[in-house]
Amino acid sequence: MTAFEANAVDFAELPNIDPDNIQPIDIESLVGTNDPRHPPKILVLYGSLRTRSFSKLAAVEASRLLRWYGCDVKMFDPSGLPLPDDADTEHPKVQELRELAQWSEGMLWVSPERHGSMTSIMKAQIDWIPLSLGGVRPTQGKTLALMQVSGGSQSFNTVNQLRILGRWMRMITIPNQSSIPKAFLEFNDDDRMDMSPLYLRLVDVCEELVKFTWLTRGRSEYLTDRYSERIESAEAVSQRVNQKSI
């Protein structure tokens, strides 16, 4: 399968893109002979429930690009997700989120900045994704891209905090990131992002996420293999990573 054959979005849906300069992913330069060739599976999370949520608009904008780059993209709707520890793990929205996290091979997190931090809605989604299920870590070795939107001036507080969380979740967080200040000025009446340097950065983040996902997903098990865990039994690992909450 070539990158163009996998594309599910045409340029009519990407009015700001210059067809002569956007490039499909050169898959052969990133994968090995025995690496998987199916479209990368990307989960997109956003951190606002407002009727016109700019984090959701940015997430949708990015999802279009990720699909053009040949990805299988799914977006989680956080509406109805309970607060962490305010429901059990059998709650339907918790189950949906966890199943999507396990399905994914990479993620994109898009949060508004509120009071200088990510929103509680964004944090709740991350907190419901477990570090481990038995001896299996559902996020370990998966790629992660980060974006934030702000109502005021440029800030990187939220993406920096999300980067710490990505490291804690043992994810491969890409170097590039996007911060969209005064987001209400960047999206038009059709809920599309206008052409600007901020849009170009969003494209860069999506392209880099796809490249890193192709590059690492066939090797993530080896990249995250640890000596300290090789000398433990599976039972010991399970006991250690599933300690009772403090």
Side-chain angles (χ1 to χ4, degrees), residues 2-244:
T2 66
F4 275 124
E5 289 172 339
N7 294 341
V9 174
D10 61 31
F11 289 115
E13 296 185 61
L14 298 171
N16 294 329
I17 290 295
D18 180 354
D20 294 329
N21 284 301
I22 193 170
Q23 298 178 351
I25 304 301
D26 183 1
I27 297 170
E28 297 307 318
S29 69
L30 299 171
V31 302
T33 303
N34 297 318
D35 286 342
R37 300 299 180 103
H38 61 271
K41 301 173 184 178
I42 305 297
L43 171 60
V44 180
L45 305 180
Y46 59 92
S48 171
L49 297 177
R50 290 181 175 179
T51 302
R52 191 168 191 245
S53 162
F54 292 108
S55 64
K56 182 177 181 180
L57 294 182
V60 171
E61 199 76 44
S63 294
R64 291 189 180 96
L65 287 158
L66 291 170
R67 290 190 178 98
W68 188 88
Y69 280 117
C71 296
D72 183 359
V73 181
K74 294 185 180 181
M75 186 180 298
F76 177 72
D77 178 0
S79 180
L81 182 70
L83 290 173
D85 302 327
D86 197 35
D88 59 38
T89 57
E90 299 306 312
H91 188 284
K93 291 297 291 189
V94 175
Q95 285 293 306
E96 178 188 355
L97 176 58
R98 290 187 170 196
E99 288 171 5
L100 286 171
Q102 288 185 286
W103 164 86
S104 69
E105 296 167 327
M107 296 189 195
L108 170 64
W109 296 349
V110 189
S111 177
E113 182 163 298
R114 184 172 296 166
H115 300 315
S117 178
M118 74 187 79
T119 61
S120 58
I121 295 166
M122 189 79 238
K123 184 61 161 58
Q125 293 174 80
I126 299 169
D127 284 348
W128 270 120
I129 300 173
L131 286 173
S132 61
L133 288 170
V136 177
R137 296 188 175 93
T139 55
Q140 178 169 270
K142 297 182 179 183
T143 52
L144 174 64
L146 307 171
M147 296 172 54
Q148 73 169 76
V149 297
S150 305
S153 58
Q154 185 89 60
S155 170
F156 298 95
N157 290 338
T158 295
V159 287
N160 289 338
Q161 292 166 349
L162 291 172
R163 191 169 291 276
I164 292 172
L165 287 174
R167 183 179 65 200
W168 192 258
M169 303 293 280
R170 302 191 178 188
M171 302 181 77
I172 302 169
T173 308
I174 68 170
N176 217 334
Q177 60 188 23
S178 170
S179 175
I180 304 173
K182 297 182 179 179
F184 60 92
L185 297 177
E186 300 301 323
F187 291 86
N188 57 39
D189 292 340
D190 294 324
D191 289 338
R192 296 302 304 271
M193 193 171 180
D194 291 322
M195 180 61 179
S196 72
L198 297 170
Y199 177 80
L200 297 180
R201 175 58 68 91
L202 184 147
V203 178
D204 288 348
V205 169
C206 292
E207 180 181 36
E208 190 170 288
L209 173 61
V210 181
K211 288 178 178 178
F212 270 75
T213 305
W214 275 108
L215 179 66
T216 61
R217 70 174 180 181
R219 303 165 175 82
S220 61
E221 184 175 347
Y222 177 71
L223 290 171
T224 56
D225 184 48
R226 294 174 178 83
Y227 167 77
S228 62
E229 294 180 355
R230 288 197 299 272
I231 63 174
E232 289 184 291
S233 67
E235 180 180 359
V237 172
S238 181
Q239 290 177 350
R240 177 169 53 80
V241 301
N242 287 286
Q243 299 178 54
K244 292 182 179 180

